[in-house]
Amino acid sequence: MSQVSMGQACDIETLLRPDVAAMEEYTPILPFEVLSARLGLPPERIVKLDANENPYGPSPKTLAALAAFPYHNIYPDPEQTALRAGLSRYLGIPADRILAGAGADELLDLICRLFLYPGDAVIVCPPTFGMYRFDALIQGARVVEISRRDDFTLDLDAIEKHFVSPDDAHPPKIVFLTSPNNPDGGLISQIALRRLLRLPAVIVMDEAYTEFAGESALMVTHDHSNLIVLRTFSKWAGLAGLRAGYGVFPAAVMRHLWKIKQPYNVSTAATVAALASLDDLAYLHENVRRLIAERERLQRELGRFDFLQPFPSRANFVLCRVIGRDARFLKQSLERRGILVRFFDRPGLRSCIRVSVGKPEHTDALLTSLREV
Ligand code: PMP
């Protein structure tokens, strides 16, 4: 018998990875039902414009396909054969370069796990989507932040500098790009992208909102072996709760991605819903068209308030700077009226709110409340 007495109290926290123990906690958004209870409002009275979700939801054919699918007791296909074939037809890209994930988020994590050792560097360009930094930090990577300019365009010279400095023996391995960018909705030009593709790094182009912009880097994947394009069904197809995303990867990394992917990462429900969405494009594209029209109206109407300065957006949300008023107070005043928007107050995003594009009646409710507060 060893001296260690089994069952002795163990300070389990001392066994944690020190870097994880020191990490800041992630602040998730509140679940809808919790919010509803907190505000004392039924869910149908809440105008949820804080997470860039699609207010039209999944297509009726998608809901019918989900209801009719009888095999949820069987594990999903680890090779995602039907889904990748469907995506291949939809994108005009060979299926052997496509991998699906439980949202684009899972693919971001997979990319970080594939390329990053502790101490490796990545470039992110804030203000931008938070998961690049989050996933890189979990791998123990160094996050090099190259801030955007005041108009949210990329500082290409500053990014390139990290690859030419002779004193940096370990140049960044991944550059994370987002087009349209979250939270401002601006695009990365093809010229800027092609310039960055010359860097000796993996270029991850996150196109979560591309369907609202009508521009994409997908075809550029044909002639660049360092470009990854990520997309999702969360926004245009209204499947955020089901978790379905996909990536188009360089041929040379596919074999390695398969090695580290969880076998059953995309659920049967997500697979059925994604395939049914691809079969109901006309319906879903009509909703995208409505959201684009509503975005234009929202931008115009928000610009009429002297305390709001909306930035031009090509996504399904509009970022506004709040001028001469307390943006946090504005967000809270809207919340008390059942209207949820996202509030930011950090470098590059001082005194800002981001409003997701809803249905016309959601815009109406927002505008009425803005006139009252
Ligand atoms: N990329 C960006 C830029 C996003 O804003 C989001 C969603 N908030 C995602 C990726 C994640 O998408 P998914 O729901 O497919 O994980």
Side-chain angles (χ1 to χ4, degrees):
M1 243 324 244
S2 86
Q3 290 301 304
V4 180
S5 87
M6 305 303 267
Q8 201 175 40
C10 150
D11 182 358
I12 200 165
E13 279 195 287
T14 61
L15 305 177
L16 288 169
R17 269 173 48 180
D19 57 337
V20 172
M23 260 172 87
E24 271 175 45
E25 274 131 38
Y26 176 73
T27 350
I29 51 167
L30 285 179
F32 205 38
E33 58 282 7
V34 175
L35 250 166
S36 156
R38 183 182 288 186
L39 295 173
L41 290 171
E44 62 280 5
R45 283 273 320 278
I46 295 178
V47 178
K48 193 171 181 315
L49 306 177
D50 60 347
N52 305 337
E53 290 140 337
N54 185 329
Y56 295 102
S59 82
K61 279 191 192 162
T62 303
L63 294 175
L66 280 168
F69 186 75
Y71 302 122
H72 291 302
N73 57 323
I74 308 291
Y75 284 107
D77 171 14
E79 295 188 7
Q80 312 167 343
T81 316
L83 181 52
R84 287 169 49 244
L87 285 167
S88 172
R89 281 191 299 276
Y90 172 59
L91 303 170
I93 302 266
D96 59 8
R97 295 195 40 209
I98 300 170
L99 189 76
D105 278 350
E106 192 205 5
L107 298 170
L108 286 167
D109 178 57
L110 210 57
I111 291 165
C112 288
R113 290 204 281 126
L114 187 65
F115 289 102
L116 301 176
Y117 258 139
D120 284 342
V122 304
I123 288 186
V124 301
C125 305
T128 192
F129 185 47
M131 293 307 282
Y132 317 132
R133 181 184 155 82
F134 174 88
D135 290 326
L137 288 179
I138 290 172
Q139 297 310 311
R142 264 186 314 129
V143 177
V144 178
E145 297 195 317
I146 311 282
S147 298
R148 288 162 184 264
R149 300 198 184 85
D150 287 347
D151 63 356
F152 298 105
T153 54
L154 296 175
D155 187 344
L156 299 181
D157 294 339
I159 295 173
E160 285 169 344
K161 265 194 203 131
H162 281 271
F163 293 86
V164 294
S165 163
D167 47 55
D168 192 351
H170 300 289
K173 281 187 158 178
I174 306 179
V175 181
F176 287 102
L177 305 176
T178 325
S179 186
N181 187 44
N182 178 3
D184 61 287
L187 293 178
I188 293 176
S189 72
Q190 290 281 323
I191 294 172
L193 174 64
R194 286 186 185 273
R195 198 170 135 185
L196 294 174
L197 281 166
R198 288 194 219 120
L199 296 172
V202 183
I203 306 296
V204 176
M205 185 62 146
D206 179 348
E207 294 195 341
Y209 302 98
T210 190
E211 291 80 4
F212 303 100
E215 271 188 48
S216 168
L218 202 64
M219 289 308 130
V220 185
T221 59
H222 286 299
D223 46 58
H224 285 84
S225 58
N226 60 337
L227 175 61
I228 296 174
V229 173
L230 298 183
R231 298 241 187 118
T232 178
F233 285 81
S234 293
K235 316 294 177 179
W236 70 280
L239 300 187
L242 279 167
R243 316 304 297 127
Y246 59 93
V248 175
F249 294 87
V253 303
M254 285 303 297
R255 189 161 68 85
H256 308 292
L257 274 172
W258 283 113
K259 291 188 242 174
I260 66 166
K261 174 185 95 63
Q262 298 279 343
Y264 308 120
N265 63 328
V266 184
S267 72
T268 47
T271 306
V272 167
L275 280 168
S277 302
L278 293 177
D279 265 344
D280 206 5
L281 291 176
Y283 178 91
L284 291 168
H285 286 166
E286 176 56 20
N287 288 343
V288 168
R289 193 200 56 73
R290 286 195 185 122
L291 288 167
I292 292 172
E294 198 56 25
R295 171 187 75 205
E296 298 304 305
R297 173 180 168 233
L298 181 65
Q299 256 167 187
R300 232 177 14 252
E301 293 296 330
L302 291 173
R304 294 191 207 278
F305 291 90
D306 57 6
F307 57 95
L308 292 178
Q309 185 188 73
F311 292 94
S313 166
R314 297 287 297 274
N316 65 337
F317 49 83
V318 177
L319 182 73
C320 288
R321 183 143 285 142
V322 181
I323 298 152
R325 290 203 187 189
D326 184 336
R328 186 194 298 271
F329 181 74
L330 180 63
K331 178 226 151 73
Q332 288 166 347
S333 309
L334 291 172
E335 192 170 291
R336 279 194 291 276
R337 291 165 164 80
I339 297 172
L340 308 180
V341 300
R342 186 84 192 262
F343 159 71
F344 300 102
D345 194 21
R346 50 175 136 103
L349 285 177
R350 284 284 168 234
S351 186
C352 285
I353 58 167
R354 191 197 63 198
V355 184
S356 306
V357 179
K359 294 180 178 175
E361 58 266 36
H362 299 149
T363 307
D364 294 343
L366 171 72
L367 297 173
T368 305
S369 289
L370 280 171
R371 283 183 206 110
E372 288 167 8
V373 295

